[in-house]
Amino acid sequence: MRIAIIGAGYVGLVSGACFAEFGVEVCVVDSVVEKIEALRGGRIPIYEPGLDKLVADNAREGRLSFTTNLAEALDGAEAVFLAVGTPTRRGDGHADLSYVFAAAEEVARTAKQPLVLVTKSTVPVGTGRRVRELVQAARPDLQIDVASNPEFLREGSAIGDFMRPDRVVIGIETGASGERALAVLKRLYRPLYLIETPIVATSIETAELIKYSANAFLATKITFINEIADLCEKVGANVQDVARGMGLDGRIGRKFLHAGPGYGGSCFPKDTLALAKTARDFGSPVRLVETTISVNDDRKVAMADRVVAACDGSVAGKTIAVLGLTFKPETDDMREAASLVVVPRLVQAGATVRAFDPAGMDQARPLLPAAVQYAESAMDAVAGADALVLLTEWNEFRALSAVRLKGLMRGDVLLDLRNVYDREATQQAGFRYHAIGR
Ligand SMILES: NC(=O)c1ccc[n+]([C@@H]2O[C@H](COP(=O)([O-])OP(=O)(O)OC[C@H]3O[C@@H](n4cnc5c(N)ncnc54)[C@H](O)[C@@H]3O)[C@@H](O)[C@H]2O)c1
């Protein structure tokens, strides 16, 4: 079986490599020449644990190839996955679907044989229908079935998530077209059937909404515990114990109950916004999600204020070491990271920011103020600093010795915005320790 994937980003690359690992012949297309050249030369343009090996193994076996030439990728493909970006559209918060529609139209115009066009990108309800109309208008002569197959992988554990997902959601049309699409997707996902992965086969509209609902729910869960954390600080409770006590209830679950500086990343911020916009357009607002969005936006700003407050009301002339810039550990993705709000505010307030991130510094540089300094290591970042702010909980930061850190610093302020350090140990080392909600 042969398939094509349009888009060599986080989702396209991981899906392509994993389908190849399942034994499928995969060709991944991207319009960015440098990306494809890098991939052909064995270099992975993103940081995702395990991806380099998976790509190398499958490329060597001849199951995974890369091209900028769509016709070459479509040659003999039974299914074509759209894994292009759907960022927030400038100005109104809707998802920008221009990449999806452009790619769908290119596929339709280029295809020579019948195929299933599967949207893996996260797209608002109604997009699948519009893709079908567009494809039919472009190629009335060719049988192109459309389907929706939203992706739930998490950056940082993307390969495991793809290979052992909680479920696979497949949205299809009614009738023969849907049956053909489902048959092809079932063949592709056969290894997951064998490990008894639940398959949710539904309409395209439902599949599209499942993806947004799941992300909005998780974003709301994070935002909920963040607000509870603030309350904990006021009443002298401990948010980690509250989260544990809540999360052990099977109806609630323990995941996504970690208080922090507000959610970021390539998905939650844009997907919550797009869902809220779509819901408004349909006259059925999702006010809970709208509130989540504004609480989360405010929270990132509040984190910068916290740093200033912890530094006795001013960071002017002070050196702040920032550990972690990416929106979460084990990725180089900087999209909507809390650092993008916190760091510029500290610089604006007169601080010298010296930052270190194990994977995200190249991506961070063009996004952060030019005045930010980048360190070679965590220790290099904290040397001589007045305050230390932990923004992303990379494992290597968890293991740092409080005594050693304190010994290197000029000041004694430690803001642990991810609740990874032990209060007693840091205080014994001489820090004024500030955590979230405890
Ligand atoms: N990143 C995640 O963790 C994640 C998880 C689940 C779902 N998603 C969704 O998957 C989609 C892709 O996300 P991503 O993070 O992989 O995006 P990305 O920006 O990393 O990658 C998109 C790629 O598509 C390429 N592209 C765009 N138009 C093209 C065209 N016409 N032809 C060829 N290539 C084209 C771009 O050059 C880019 O390399 C989004 O809708 C996103 O919401 C992302």
Side-chain angles (χ1 to χ4, degrees):
M1 188 171 188
R2 201 176 139 77
I3 65 167
I5 294 189
I6 320 286
Y10 291 85
V11 167
L13 261 186
V14 171
S15 311
C18 291
F19 277 133
E21 183 71 13
F22 289 168
V24 176
E25 224 180 284
V26 182
C27 185
V28 180
V29 199
D30 205 289
S31 41
V32 178
V33 178
E34 302 80 59
K35 246 186 207 188
I36 294 302
E37 276 175 358
L39 286 160
R40 284 182 154 176
R43 294 182 306 281
I44 308 291
I46 57 169
Y47 175 77
E48 178 62 43
L51 190 59
D52 44 359
K53 183 172 183 318
L54 199 67
V55 167
D57 288 353
N58 283 285
R60 195 177 44 247
E61 295 298 323
R63 288 190 299 261
L64 181 61
S65 60
F66 303 98
T67 183
T68 52
N69 182 334
L70 185 64
E72 185 187 317
L74 295 192
D75 189 21
E78 283 184 72
V80 179
F81 285 79
L82 301 179
V84 298
T86 49
T88 299
R89 191 164 70 189
R90 225 168 259 206
D92 64 6
H94 277 285
D96 179 354
L97 296 173
S98 57
Y99 302 99
V100 170
F101 293 144
E105 192 153 4
E106 272 177 82
V107 169
R109 290 195 191 290
T110 313
K112 294 208 167 72
Q113 75 286 347
L115 52 83
V116 183
L117 183 57
V118 190
T119 304
K120 204 169 229 337
S121 301
T122 302
V123 295
V125 175
T127 305
R129 189 173 33 77
R130 288 174 66 190
V131 166
R132 175 171 46 76
E133 287 163 5
L134 192 150
V135 161
Q136 273 176 350
R139 287 302 294 276
D141 59 310
L142 191 66
Q143 176 190 301
I144 299 181
D145 302 311
V146 297
S148 161
N149 174 219
E151 183 50 57
F152 297 92
L153 62 78
R154 295 162 299 173
E155 287 171 20
S157 53
I159 293 169
D161 288 347
F162 193 94
M163 301 261 206
R164 290 174 297 280
D166 291 333
R167 77 305 207 186
V168 171
V169 173
I170 295 175
I172 48 165
E173 300 200 279
T174 48
S177 169
E179 278 165 30
R180 282 193 298 265
L182 187 60
V184 168
L185 283 164
K186 277 188 167 175
R187 259 197 294 140
L188 257 176
Y189 280 114
R190 195 176 135 70
L192 298 186
Y193 275 78
L194 297 178
I195 57 167
E196 295 183 3
T197 306
I199 308 286
V200 182
T202 178
S203 71
I204 291 182
E205 285 75 11
T206 302
E208 290 168 339
L209 198 53
I210 287 172
K211 175 64 193 175
Y212 277 104
S213 306
N215 274 1
F217 189 85
L218 293 172
T220 304
K221 203 172 172 190
I222 293 173
T223 306
F224 177 85
I225 202 67
N226 282 340
E227 285 205 308
I228 295 295
D230 289 350
L231 181 58
C232 284
E233 288 172 17
K234 293 278 185 328
V235 302
N238 180 327
V239 73
Q240 286 181 308
D241 293 342
V242 171
R244 180 153 189 271
M246 282 174 64
L248 286 169
D249 184 327
R251 295 168 301 177
I252 297 173
R254 291 175 69 172
K255 294 186 177 161
F256 286 78
L257 282 181
H258 301 288
Y263 62 78
S266 65
C267 292
F268 289 178
K270 79 172 173 64
D271 293 348
T272 45
L273 206 55
L275 176 63
K277 292 289 174 190
T278 307
R280 284 259 163 208
D281 285 354
F282 281 89
S284 182
V286 283
R287 283 175 297 155
L288 208 51
V289 179
E290 290 176 357
T291 303
T292 293
I293 295 166
S294 73
V295 169
N296 193 64
D297 287 346
D298 292 349
R299 185 163 189 84
K300 292 181 184 169
V301 175
M303 290 302 121
D305 297 343
R306 257 180 205 243
V307 177
V308 174
C311 292
D312 302 315
S314 171
V315 291
K318 294 183 180 161
T319 299
I320 313 285
V322 171
L323 294 188
L325 295 170
T326 53
F327 85 95
K328 69 170 180 183
E330 297 297 329
T331 182
D332 59 349
D333 202 335
M334 281 293 299
R335 287 178 279 190
E336 304 288 334
S339 63
L340 295 178
V341 176
V342 175
V343 171
R345 282 177 179 267
L346 297 178
V347 171
Q348 180 100 45
T352 298
V353 172
R354 204 176 318 126
F356 175 71
D357 188 282
M361 292 200 289
D362 287 346
Q363 304 244 19
R365 250 183 216 105
L367 304 173
L368 289 174
V372 173
Q373 301 171 6
Y374 296 89
E376 298 279 313
S377 66
M379 291 304 172
D380 180 24
V382 300
D386 297 287
L388 163 56
V389 181
L390 180 86
L391 258 182
T392 315
E393 69 282 30
W394 285 86
N395 274 337
E396 68 169 80
F397 301 153
R398 289 174 189 266
L400 295 174
S401 141
V403 174
R404 212 169 143 220
L405 286 173
K406 178 67 188 61
L408 285 170
M409 285 173 59
R410 178 166 64 195
D412 61 358
V413 176
L414 170 51
L415 281 111
D416 176 5
L417 302 184
R418 297 289 184 170
N419 282 343
V420 301
Y421 296 124
D422 181 59
R423 177 181 293 279
E424 235 171 80
T426 53
Q427 285 177 342
Q428 268 169 16
F431 276 113
R432 286 190 279 157
Y433 177 74
H434 305 264
I436 300 278
R438 59 194 180 101

